[in-house]
Amino acid sequence: MATATLPIWRDTERCYRAVTARDQRFDGQFIMAVRTTGIYCRPSCPAITPKAQNVRFFPTSAAAQAGGYRACRRCLPDAVPGSPDWNVRADLAARAMRLIADGLVEREGVPGLARRLGYSERQLGRVLTTELGAGPLALARAHRAHSARLLIELSALPLTDVAFAAGFSSIRQFNETIREVFAATPSQLRAASLRRGRRTESGSTRLSLRLPFRAPLDAQGVLRYHASRALPGVEAVEENAGGITGYGRTLRLADGPGLVWLSPQPDHVRCDLALTDLRDLGSAVTRVRRLLDLDADPEAVARVLSADPTLAPLVAGTPGLRVPGAVDGPELVLRTLLGEAAAEVAALGEPVPPAEPPMDALTTLFPAPEVVAAADVKPLVKTVAAAIVDGSLDPHVGRDPGELRAELLACGVDAGTADYVLMRVLGAPDVLLTGDPAVHRAADALGLDLADAARWQPWSSYASRHLQSFAA
């Protein structure tokens, strides 16, 4: 019998019901593989539902690939919102998945991943295989395959260049992986994309993607949040009487600066990217998804928060509310501490190559921590920037929340600000911002006792955002 702690992919009866109903809410939460065809699909695949005895369930695409299955070319199971498990969990497997999705294995290898997480390679491999059905190399391989498919279908790059841009070490490895995962050669995938008219019309460093999400999505709410804090040159906003039509910002990526422009659509977010190096594609997409909290499960959040009769009207009034994330941990920490001085400091950032409209307003990267440490800023900002430079403070998405909070407090950051950083940098879903005056104003007006907020777990961050919105 399933228990409350049983991973969903192990609850075969529940998974099969979701597959039978073609329930899109479960896309990204588990993978369905069909023994008779050797194909793995998303739960909502429109193909004829296989018999229950012919189906296996996996936690990740990598696990299905390791089991000898290839991706369905009809439902494209890798092109779905990520598992909301990674939003809730703060254990080793979840933190590793965030770093793998950010491309860390391609940049630093499994030793670098283990070092960032504070575990041995052997321990890490054992935990990931137990929890996710695949080790770090297999998980990274699945990530590379997905990035490669995007480049094959959406760019005009020669396939040889696609291989290395996606992180493969050789053409042979690239060809073998694409054939194994998609049951087609790279050239066949490209030919099929041309027949569908999916090729981007821009140059080799410009791509236009559709970012899926679980409906509903309060796109205007999360974009207004970022727009209200936008720094000239680093960010830009376009809006009309109907709301925000576009939001863009610069990205500090491993292989060079990037630009992103986001435009909300009814069933997806259009994401236009301009990258210095296409090896950064996977990392850029992952960071943008975190920025808008696109992998959240809004129905799960609403079920818990709506059970509070005081919060229920706020939840109903703003369906699909998201918790704003961050694309760069050090930047978010320093911007938060700088406050109103952030705009002045932002002018010290490095220029980026000129771009075409609407990205032409994006001209500057937010300055690196070493630049902020040398600037004329208040002592606390200098201390924190110096700690980031020397490594005693390391705000990245793979951090354990408790350890990162302790590092922030050791630098002199107050508890309220530390909680805000955890919420945004890590995407921590259960942070109640008790140090935020807006949260207190809303709680007082609604007659809520913030000391009795256990009923909002594990979605206290979303409760905080509803209270902030109410106060505004």
Side-chain angles (χ1 to χ4, degrees):
M1 178 178 292
T3 69
T5 59
L6 190 68
I8 185 173
W9 66 278
R10 293 190 184 277
D11 187 346
T12 56
E13 184 178 344
R14 184 183 178 198
C15 288
Y16 191 72
R17 286 200 304 269
V19 168
T20 303
R22 295 186 173 88
D23 194 332
Q24 295 183 1
R25 295 174 299 175
F26 290 90
D27 287 351
Q29 299 194 41
F30 65 87
I31 290 293
M32 173 190 71
V34 185
R35 292 186 177 94
T36 51
T37 62
I39 290 172
Y40 71 87
C41 304
R42 64 171 80 185
S44 67
C45 182
I48 296 173
T49 303
K51 295 179 180 179
Q53 63 266 31
N54 294 331
V55 167
R56 288 187 65 190
F57 298 107
F58 292 95
T60 60
S61 294
Q65 292 168 21
Y69 295 90
R70 63 185 186 273
C72 174
R73 294 169 65 183
R74 184 172 181 181
C75 71
L76 299 175
D78 299 309
V80 298
S83 169
D85 262 3
W86 313 140
N87 294 350
V88 180
R89 293 166 50 175
D91 59 11
L92 175 61
R95 292 187 285 119
M97 281 296 289
R98 293 175 198 144
L99 290 174
I100 291 170
D102 195 53
L104 186 70
V105 173
E106 281 74 26
R107 298 193 295 271
E108 301 181 19
V110 175
L113 176 66
R115 186 171 57 252
R116 289 288 190 103
L117 294 166
Y119 284 77
S120 71
E121 293 179 51
R122 184 177 179 181
Q123 287 174 304
L124 178 62
R126 185 168 61 247
V127 169
L128 293 183
T129 301
T130 301
E131 292 286 325
L132 305 176
L137 284 176
L139 292 164
R141 177 178 180 265
H143 176 260
R144 285 196 297 273
H146 178 55
S147 295
R149 185 184 64 80
L150 291 177
L151 290 171
I152 290 168
E153 295 186 345
L154 297 177
S155 80
L157 275 181
L159 293 177
T160 300
D161 293 344
V162 168
F164 295 109
F168 290 95
S169 58
S170 69
I171 302 301
R172 179 180 177 181
Q173 183 191 62
F174 166 65
N175 288 331
E176 288 179 350
T177 298
I178 296 302
R179 277 198 299 268
E180 289 175 13
V181 174
F182 300 109
T185 65
S187 58
Q188 287 171 335
L189 287 181
R190 174 155 285 177
S193 73
L194 289 173
R195 288 194 297 271
R196 295 192 300 267
R198 295 196 62 193
R199 176 73 61 82
T200 180
E201 55 193 48
S202 49
S204 63
T205 60
R206 292 288 301 272
L207 297 169
S208 181
L209 313 176
R210 293 163 59 100
L211 303 183
F213 54 79
R214 291 179 182 84
L217 169 67
D218 178 27
Q220 288 299 311
V222 69
L223 289 175
R224 279 196 303 271
Y225 188 94
H226 291 301
S228 68
R229 293 157 175 77
L231 301 177
V234 176
E235 293 158 288
V237 181
E238 283 187 355
E239 55 187 320
N240 57 28
I244 294 175
T245 57
Y247 164 82
R249 63 153 296 143
T250 58
L251 302 171
R252 183 181 294 278
L253 300 168
D255 295 296
L259 309 176
V260 62
W261 191 265
L262 302 170
S263 309
Q265 307 296 324
D267 61 349
H268 67 277
V269 174
R270 174 173 168 146
C271 172
D272 293 301
L273 283 167
L275 302 174
T276 303
D277 192 316
L278 283 170
R279 287 178 296 178
D280 288 323
L281 173 63
S283 177
V285 171
T286 298
R287 295 182 187 202
V288 170
R289 294 191 64 82
R290 286 203 305 269
L291 186 72
L292 303 185
D293 194 17
L294 294 183
D295 292 327
D297 184 348
E299 293 196 3
V301 176
R303 278 196 300 271
V304 172
L305 299 187
S306 295
D308 183 329
T310 306
L311 275 188
L314 306 187
V315 176
T318 312
L321 175 141
R322 296 302 205 261
V323 172
V327 295
D328 186 284
E331 176 189 316
L332 188 278
V333 172
L334 296 174
R335 284 179 64 161
T336 301
L337 297 176
L338 284 164
E340 294 182 357
E344 182 179 347
V345 173
L348 303 175
E350 307 134 66
V352 299
E356 299 175 358
M359 296 184 183
D360 54 332
L362 303 173
T363 60
T364 311
L365 287 173
F366 188 82
E370 52 267 29
V371 175
V372 177
D376 182 17
V377 294
K378 54 189 177 183
L380 176 59
V381 178
K382 279 185 172 291
T383 298
V384 171
I388 295 173
V389 173
D390 68 26
S392 56
L393 173 61
D394 192 10
H396 63 72
V397 294
R399 293 303 308 275
D400 174 82
E403 293 176 0
L404 178 54
R405 192 175 194 273
E407 289 179 8
L408 289 163
L409 296 177
C411 290
V413 176
D414 66 85
T417 301
D419 288 339
Y420 174 79
V421 168
L422 298 184
M423 184 184 81
R424 293 201 55 192
V425 172
L426 304 185
D430 200 26
V431 177
L432 185 61
L433 299 179
T434 54
D436 188 329
V439 171
H440 277 279
R441 287 197 307 273
D444 290 343
L446 294 168
L448 289 169
D449 182 3
L450 295 180
D452 182 28
R455 60 193 181 280
W456 299 337
Q457 295 175 345
W459 308 115
S460 298
S461 298
Y462 294 85
S464 297
R465 284 292 300 125
H466 278 296
L467 293 173
Q468 288 174 331
S469 298
F470 177 82

